[in-house]
Amino acid sequence: MREPIASYPRVRVQGDGRQVVSQAGSVLLVETVRRTGLDQAISAALAPWRKSRTVHDPGKILLDVALAVALGGDCLADVGMLRAEPAVFGPVASDPTVSRLVDTLAASGEKALRAIRAARAEARQRAWQLADGKAPDAGRAVTVDLDGVLVIAHSDKEDAAPTWKRTYGHHPLMGFVDHGPGGTGEPVAALLRPGNAGSNTATDHITATQLALAQLPKKYRRGRQTLIRTDSAGGTHDFVAWLAQRGRWLSYSVGMVITDTIHQHVLKVPASAWTPAVEADGEIRDGAWVAELTGDVLDGWPKGMRLIVRKERPHPGAQLRLTDADGMRLTCFATNTSGRPIAELELRHRLRARAEDRIRAARATGLRNLPLHRTAQNRIWLEIVQIALDLLAWMPMLALTGKARLWEPRRLRLRLFTTAGQLVTTGRRRILRLARHWPWTSHITTALERLALLPNPG
């Protein structure tokens, strides 16, 4: 009787391999840290929290946790996979040391958070300078998207509360710099809030915007070249007035709720006033039109605000709302940008949907849940998550090209970071040899060559 043919080859496994490095592709992140000067900036920022006679630098500890999160970790203990590879990551602190540092920083409150954020802003400015034409401000303008994120809590953590989706957890408000169609995006704000925090809270949107602006190079912290985009949660009088305040002069594109007043004005728009909406490639968007509302509907809003509404045939199976009209789905947004066609402005606002991609990437990079119990600790965790997301945005921006620059964290881990290698020591040099048969080895080596050409910080 013939034995059945197995689907996979049989391999004998032995646990005595030497000089083998797992996660060898993570050298891309390590080199990104080095070229952007993030390690130096965080070490200097957290120097006040370094006790005498300590072995581990607080900045290095925090960066190690961020690297572990970037590689797929979701708790402090996952730094152990870096500890297992000292040839790539150097000495890594023990789990108790990591926990003590997080507790110490959490006890310092805003002082520690400001130090970490200042280091991130310093490294961000250098990363954008190194990226040159690939930087998000290559067009001399920056777009910041604000959006809320629901983070589920599976235990009774501090400030966890029922959410508007009938779940239980937290409701952080985050901000992301949009890299445009040729890139991804990077986080610039994360405001931790209870799960029952309101969506239309103007003070939270103002605070998140202030955090985001502080992360940008100084020339983008005020002026029309900086665009703030939000969904209808940002469409409040107080927030729009703050954005348009004299001396701040920020550009904005914020979604608006279709109120009864707006609905009545839409019904009065003549057919000749509707303009076909457009797609990103310039083609007309089928079944969609835009128009600008004027008159008393703008009373009480800042001077120069424009109200633009879009009507579109609903997708098959979609249900209309009470605020829709004539079988068309209505959406509305406000902007203070003048001198551009309303169809172009509507397309710009619609591209805010890319923030959903950034949120998906954040969930896959440490934001699936908040692993610590106290709110002060989880605020430090949010900064760690943002550092990880920064590295996952800066590395492709500086080293990858083509479609690879659009890869999200899951694909970067699967194709690049999990690559295995062999560490060879010859003389005084250590060489990491990657598998020749791995399909994406050339992506790694070419990216490392690009990073090597960048100047060192300082």
Side-chain angles (χ1 to χ4, degrees):
M1 182 175 179
R2 296 180 59 184
E3 293 185 3
I5 300 176
S7 299
Y8 299 96
R10 291 185 177 181
V11 179
R12 180 174 295 179
V13 178
Q14 296 179 346
D16 57 354
R18 298 181 180 180
Q19 302 300 320
V20 177
V21 177
S22 61
Q23 302 283 345
S26 59
V27 293
L28 289 168
L29 296 177
V30 175
E31 192 63 21
T32 301
V33 168
R34 182 179 294 113
R35 295 299 172 176
T36 58
L38 181 59
D39 52 346
Q40 299 177 18
I42 288 191
S43 292
L46 298 186
W49 285 271
R50 181 167 189 172
K51 298 179 181 179
S52 59
R53 300 182 181 179
T54 54
V55 175
H56 297 283
D57 174 25
K60 172 70 162 53
I61 296 175
L62 206 70
L63 264 181
D64 285 342
V65 180
L67 284 170
V69 172
L71 295 174
D74 59 4
C75 65
L76 297 179
D78 285 335
V79 76
M81 63 181 176
L82 272 65
R83 194 181 303 118
E85 302 293 353
V88 176
F89 302 104
V92 176
S94 65
D95 290 349
T97 301
V98 173
S99 297
R100 282 195 298 268
L101 174 65
V102 172
D103 290 341
T104 301
L105 296 177
S108 299
E110 287 297 323
K111 183 178 179 182
L113 293 174
R114 284 195 296 268
I116 298 171
R117 291 164 182 164
R120 290 178 53 222
E122 179 183 338
R124 189 181 321 282
Q125 182 168 353
R126 175 167 172 79
W128 289 14
Q129 291 173 348
L130 293 175
D132 196 17
K134 295 181 179 180
D137 66 337
R140 297 183 179 181
V142 174
T143 299
V144 177
D145 292 314
L146 300 182
D147 208 345
V149 185
L150 291 181
V151 181
I152 306 301
H154 300 284
S155 61
D156 192 15
K157 299 177 181 178
E158 187 177 6
D159 285 338
T163 71
W164 61 275
K165 277 195 173 183
R166 298 183 180 180
T167 57
Y168 185 79
H170 297 81
H171 189 191
L173 182 61
M174 300 195 68
F176 301 91
V177 169
D178 185 18
H179 283 198
T184 54
E186 56 192 272
V188 286
L191 181 64
L192 184 57
R193 306 186 299 170
N196 56 3
S199 297
N200 297 90
T201 308
T203 54
D204 289 346
H205 279 79
I206 292 173
T207 302
T209 304
Q210 290 172 329
L211 293 175
L213 294 175
Q215 284 295 307
L216 304 181
K218 193 172 182 179
K219 61 182 178 180
Y220 295 114
R221 295 177 185 176
R222 64 180 65 224
R224 296 293 192 200
Q225 71 275 19
T226 301
L227 173 69
I228 306 297
R229 283 191 307 206
T230 74
D231 56 9
S232 58
T236 61
H237 285 78
D238 290 343
F239 182 55
V240 174
W242 184 88
L243 292 172
Q245 186 176 351
R246 183 181 296 274
R248 192 170 287 116
W249 302 121
L250 296 168
S251 296
Y252 61 82
S253 182
V254 299
M256 302 289 287
V257 176
I258 303 290
T259 62
D260 183 65
T261 302
I262 294 176
H263 187 258
Q264 294 302 320
H265 275 74
V266 171
L267 296 178
K268 297 176 183 178
V269 176
S272 59
W274 291 98
T275 302
V278 297
E279 299 284 8
D281 57 3
E283 296 294 326
I284 292 178
R285 184 177 177 87
D286 184 43
W289 298 265
V290 293
E292 183 171 0
L293 304 182
T294 57
D296 59 358
V297 72
L298 298 176
D299 291 348
W301 293 94
K303 184 179 179 180
M305 191 185 91
R306 305 173 67 184
L307 200 59
I308 299 172
V309 65
R310 181 187 73 183
K311 66 177 183 179
E312 185 173 18
R313 296 193 189 99
H315 299 292
Q319 294 183 353
L320 293 175
R321 298 165 294 191
L322 293 176
T323 53
D324 295 330
D326 299 329
M328 295 286 187
R329 173 63 56 86
L330 297 180
T331 55
C332 185
F333 71 97
T335 183
N336 60 347
T337 303
S338 59
R340 294 174 64 176
I342 59 174
E344 182 180 335
L345 295 176
E346 191 276 331
L347 172 63
R348 184 186 69 175
H349 183 76
R350 198 182 340 131
L351 292 177
R352 195 202 68 82
R354 281 200 287 256
E356 299 299 330
D357 298 332
R358 308 288 76 77
I359 290 175
R360 183 172 62 252
R363 291 186 187 279
T365 312
L367 205 60
R368 183 178 61 85
N369 70 313
L370 298 177
L372 306 172
H373 179 73
R374 293 190 291 114
T375 297
Q377 296 172 318
N378 282 322
R379 286 198 178 105
I380 301 299
W381 177 259
L382 274 184
E383 295 301 319
I384 292 172
V385 169
Q386 289 181 89
I387 294 172
L389 290 170
D390 282 336
L391 294 175
L392 292 173
W394 295 343
M395 188 278 290
M397 181 175 68
L398 296 174
L400 299 181
T401 58
K403 292 183 179 180
R405 193 188 164 187
L406 298 173
W407 289 351
E408 293 190 358
R410 292 181 186 274
R411 182 161 292 181
L412 288 172
R413 294 170 193 140
L414 184 65
R415 295 186 175 183
L416 301 186
F417 302 153
T418 57
T419 306
Q422 181 184 19
L423 189 66
V424 179
T425 303
T426 58
R428 296 182 179 179
R429 294 191 304 167
R430 287 183 299 180
I431 301 174
L432 188 60
R433 292 178 176 173
L434 305 180
R436 183 183 302 176
H437 65 273
W438 187 249
W440 300 282
T441 293
S442 61
H443 284 73
I444 300 173
T445 55
T446 305
L448 287 171
E449 291 171 359
R450 293 192 183 98
L451 290 172
L453 294 175
L454 299 177
N456 290 316

